Amino acid sequence: MDSFIVQGGNRLIGEVEISGAKNAVLPILAGTVLSSGKNVIREIPLLRDVKVMKEVLGTLGADVSQENDVISVDSSLIDSCEIPEYLMRKMRATIFLMGPLLARFNEVRISQPGGCSIGPRPIDLHIKGLKALGVEFTEGHGYLEGKADELVGADIHLDFPSVGATENIMMAATKAKGTTIIRNAAKEPEIIDLQNFLNGMGAQIRGAGTDLIKIKGVQKLESIDYTVIPDRIETGTFMVAAAITNGDILLNNVIPEHVEPIIAKLIEAGVEVKHNQDQIKVTGVPKVKAVDVKTLPYPGFATDMQPQFMTMLSVAEGTSVVTETIFENRLKHADELRRMGADIRIESRSAIINGIERLSGSVVEASDLRAGAALVLAGLLAKGETRIDSIYHIDRGYENLESKINNLGGQITRLSTTSV
């Protein structure tokens, strides 16, 4: 299993190109199932999760090919509605195929999804929404099977603005008879991107980005050539990297509006942030100020940026409080940061962080994707050498992270080990 060896103490200076959004491309790749033609998706990040989604589509019968950051998916030969258990266990995002398969074939068979260990993420909202469209579900032998004579539009109120449930219901409703309304819908930019992709195929959806989305069902969807949005979490991670290393980084291929909460908190911490339409320049300071952070559904502060900010605040001037309201187990990285000398106390779903002068290199383990990114940042600012194990989590969500950081003047080496 691979590890990162990070040498701390270098300022990160230069330019970095932000990759396509992981959380946009996965549902969009799932959405290619809705048409029976060849779809071309551009600016695909080279990630472990994308590789799994390609494998799933191939298992279903799709013809999937990739050249650099462009994936072509011909869904015309799909002949299966069952997602193998071993692939479901590899990645939670395989759940996005429920809606498209039901829309096109009126059936789907899956096992419970896998993914990061950041707390319970039940799929009950997905099931509730799909049931409202006319799907009947049965469980047995570890599998969940959904079938419908036809999908019929419905008025659906989500108990929580779940991103995954919103997207799954959107895709299923594209071919449902009549109109579907999703109330208390999630507002994330990735949902707007999915709407734009589906509408480009011929769907009739409006309202993405608000809490009310309307979908008028159509009979057929066509293939499309589409470019995904840049990754706002990778954007935020490199912004924090500039802040904590007293660096100076120009980020290209970004949408500043997608990271407004991060910009606001960095400025509050004393960091200089400037931006135009598709670039952000972050200039760090010798010592950031303590700030309080509370994660909330978009457009609030993203839970996927909470671990990276905890790293930054561990060396801030003063005491900060980080409150996690989305995932109950998303504070595991605090234990690893304490291994590096951080003064962090956990109380329920909050972390009280007393800033120290500097972290110290240690051996730590990535418990999930964003925790892994946080530990990379910690290694960059720590004194000495840090080894980060279980970096396969990081590979799920960051494209060529070590290369991008090394190009900015950081020192990260991938240590590959062969298991027998």
Side-chain angles (χ1 to χ4, degrees), residues 4-8 376 379-380 384-388 411-413:
F4 277 152
I5 305 298
V6 185
Q7 304 293 337
V376 170
L380 289 172
E385 181 179 283
T386 299
R387 193 183 87 195
I388 306 166
Q411 286 184 268
I412 301 183
T413 304

Side-chain angles (χ1 to χ4, degrees), residues 6-12 240-246 286-288 308-316 337 340 342 356-361 373-386 405 410-411:
V6 185
Q7 304 293 337
N10 293 351
R11 294 183 68 205
L12 299 190
V240 174
I244 64 174
T245 64
N246 190 19
K287 195 75 172 175
V288 297
Q308 299 91 312
F309 258 71
M310 188 180 291
T311 293
M312 183 184 80
L313 297 175
S314 68
V315 293
L337 290 173
M340 302 178 72
I356 62 173
E357 186 60 31
R358 192 173 181 186
L359 298 176
S360 298
L375 294 175
V376 170
L377 296 179
L380 289 172
L381 64 84
K383 181 179 180 180
E385 181 179 283
T386 299
I405 288 176
Q411 286 184 268

Side-chain angles (χ1 to χ4, degrees), residues 31-270:
T32 61
V33 170
L34 289 163
S35 78
S36 57
K38 183 177 180 180
N39 296 280
V40 177
I41 315 299
R42 302 181 184 276
E43 294 203 11
I44 298 282
L46 304 178
L47 306 174
R48 183 184 291 264
D49 277 8
V50 171
K51 183 179 179 181
V52 174
M53 184 61 83
K54 287 168 53 183
E55 189 176 353
V56 175
L57 290 169
T59 301
L60 296 176
D63 182 7
V64 185
S65 61
Q66 181 167 3
E67 185 174 348
N68 299 320
D69 64 349
V70 180
I71 289 182
S72 299
V73 183
D74 186 344
S75 300
S76 60
L77 298 178
I78 287 181
D79 57 3
S80 173
C81 293
E82 179 176 327
I83 303 170
E85 181 181 10
Y86 75 96
L87 291 175
M88 290 292 295
R89 289 184 179 276
K90 282 186 178 182
M91 182 183 69
R92 179 180 175 82
T94 45
I95 199 73
F96 288 127
L97 283 155
M98 288 179 68
L101 287 171
L102 285 163
R104 183 169 168 188
F105 301 106
N106 289 342
E107 64 177 296
V108 67
R109 190 167 188 262
I110 65 167
S111 65
Q112 289 286 350
C116 287
S117 301
I118 54 177
R121 292 189 287 173
I123 61 172
D124 56 323
L125 293 179
H126 299 248
I127 302 302
K128 177 183 176 181
L130 295 172
K131 279 184 175 179
L133 297 177
V135 183
E136 292 186 3
F137 287 95
T138 56
E139 282 190 79
H141 305 291
Y143 273 83
L144 180 67
E145 190 168 1
K147 290 186 176 182
D149 293 331
E150 69 172 345
L151 299 184
V152 180
D155 194 319
I156 301 166
H157 185 282
L158 295 178
D159 297 330
F160 177 83
S162 161
V163 175
T166 299
E167 293 175 327
N168 234 335
I169 296 166
M170 278 175 64
M171 288 189 280
T174 55
K175 291 188 175 183
K177 184 179 179 181
T179 300
T180 298
I181 298 175
I182 308 174
R183 302 181 189 275
N184 196 31
K187 304 174 185 177
E188 273 72 2
E190 293 80 12
I191 293 172
I192 299 174
D193 208 32
L194 180 61
Q195 173 184 270
N196 293 340
F197 168 74
L198 295 172
N199 284 347
M201 298 172 78
Q204 295 187 28
I205 307 171
R206 58 190 176 91
T210 75
D211 61 3
L212 193 146
I213 299 174
K214 291 185 179 181
I215 307 106
K216 184 178 179 181
V218 298
Q219 290 188 340
K220 187 179 181 182
L221 294 174
E222 304 293 341
S223 55
I224 185 177
D225 188 315
Y226 191 79
T227 302
V228 301
I229 58 173
D231 196 304
R232 62 192 171 99
I233 306 303
E234 185 189 13
T235 299
T237 301
F238 275 98
M239 292 171 70
V240 174
I244 64 174
T245 64
N246 190 19
D248 194 349
I249 300 178
L250 178 65
L251 293 83
N252 298 314
N253 187 38
V254 299
I255 301 177
E257 291 79 10
H258 291 175
V259 290
E260 285 180 350
I262 301 168
I263 292 173
K265 283 296 174 183
L266 286 176
I267 291 173
E268 186 181 341

